Amino acid sequence: MKYDAIVLAGGKGTRLNLGYNKVFYQMDNGYTVLENACANFISDEDCQRVIIAVSDEDRKFLKYAPKMVIVKNGTERFDSVFNALMEVKEEYVMIHDGARPYLTMADIGNLKAGLMQDDACMLGLRSKDTVKEVKDGYVQKTLDRDHIYLAQTPQCFKSIYIKDAYSQAKKSRKHFTDDAAVFEEFYDEKIRMINSTTSNNKITFIDDLR
């Protein structure tokens, strides 16, 4: 199957106190967080384009690679994805956070298999902890952790549907925290959850780099 990948690289990473965009932090293997996040897409022959949403000021830090297409990021994550979706040409798209450098080829393969069965699927990590729903500082109820997953990326869709969902969402002016939430709002179809083979951590704090 052919697909395009969107990689979001517009964050600042203020909680890491680096003084620059965290996706350009050089990891122990000599590559930046962003380069690691993109590497398996670039090497996957099914991936036709790697569309990177980045600010104008950060473009100079990019090391260009085959398949790479650059678009301007937006004020919010939603706007960055919307801009990048305009460049998607393949039937399927995977949307990934540039701050997640630990994505494996095994997970990409599982996501591709998921798209062969459903129009939407996403990577997630099954919760190992007991989860409480809390309101105003008090526990309301205990959730069944067997049904709780921590949402990750890539989140993957048939392109025509996620493009339409984002267009509708832009008109509605509602707030969405991830791409799956946009799809859920405008489509009745179920999103297949693919269990991540690794922690697939998002780089937020310095400990996430260790």
Side-chain angles (χ1 to χ4, degrees):
M1 60 163 289
K2 305 296 184 186
Y3 69 94
D4 286 339
I6 292 172
V7 181
L8 304 169
K12 290 298 180 186
T14 52
R15 284 175 284 190
L16 261 72
N17 296 314
L18 294 175
Y20 59 88
N21 189 336
K22 63 186 176 183
V23 301
F24 297 108
Y25 177 89
Q26 185 171 304
M27 301 180 69
D28 289 344
N29 65 357
Y31 296 97
T32 66
V33 171
L34 180 60
E35 287 169 335
N36 281 293
C38 294
N40 286 329
F41 292 128
I42 291 171
S43 64
D44 183 7
E45 62 182 18
D46 286 336
C47 181
Q48 304 304 294
R49 292 171 201 80
V50 181
I51 304 163
I52 300 178
V54 67
S55 68
D56 289 338
E57 64 191 64
D58 282 340
R59 281 190 181 212
K60 60 181 177 289
F61 299 118
L62 288 173
K63 293 179 182 177
Y64 287 85
K67 304 182 183 180
M68 190 181 289
V69 177
I70 310 301
V71 299
K72 183 177 173 58
N73 74 308
T75 306
E76 302 290 340
R77 184 187 188 281
F78 177 94
D79 304 303
S80 296
V81 176
F82 185 88
N83 292 346
L85 282 171
M86 298 301 101
E87 295 294 327
V88 169
K89 294 179 171 58
E90 296 302 320
E91 186 176 4
Y92 299 98
V93 61
M94 296 191 182
I95 305 172
H96 188 50
D97 294 326
R100 290 189 190 271
Y102 305 115
L103 178 66
T104 66
M105 282 300 295
D107 285 332
I108 292 176
N110 290 337
L111 289 164
K112 288 193 290 186
L115 285 174
M116 293 295 93
Q117 301 178 65
D118 297 281
D119 291 329
C121 66
M122 63 181 289
L123 207 60
L125 191 64
R126 187 189 292 272
S127 176
K128 296 181 290 186
D129 301 315
T130 298
V131 181
K132 305 288 185 180
E133 183 179 315
V134 177
K135 184 177 181 181
D136 299 326
Y138 292 92
V139 173
Q140 302 298 302
K141 61 181 177 180
T142 301
L143 305 179
D144 184 353
R145 68 181 179 187
D146 289 340
H147 301 293
I148 301 295
Y149 281 76
L150 307 180
Q152 298 184 344
T153 66
Q155 298 184 2
C156 312
F157 309 90
K158 199 162 189 176
S159 300
I160 190 172
Y161 296 138
I162 194 64
K163 284 183 176 183
D164 177 64
Y166 259 85
S167 294
Q168 293 188 65
K170 197 170 182 67
K171 295 172 186 175
S172 74
R173 297 186 178 181
K174 291 184 179 180
H175 178 72
F176 299 93
T177 56
D178 70 354
D179 314 297
V182 178
F183 185 87
E184 291 166 29
E185 178 73 13
F186 299 103
Y187 284 91
D188 245 357
E189 295 186 54
K190 294 178 180 178
I191 301 174
R192 180 178 291 274
M193 179 62 76
I194 306 294
N195 196 31
S196 178
T197 60
T198 65
S199 61
N200 192 28
N201 286 346
K202 185 176 182 181
I203 304 302
T204 304
F205 303 104
I206 199 67
D207 283 347
D208 297 325
L209 291 165
R210 298 186 179 123

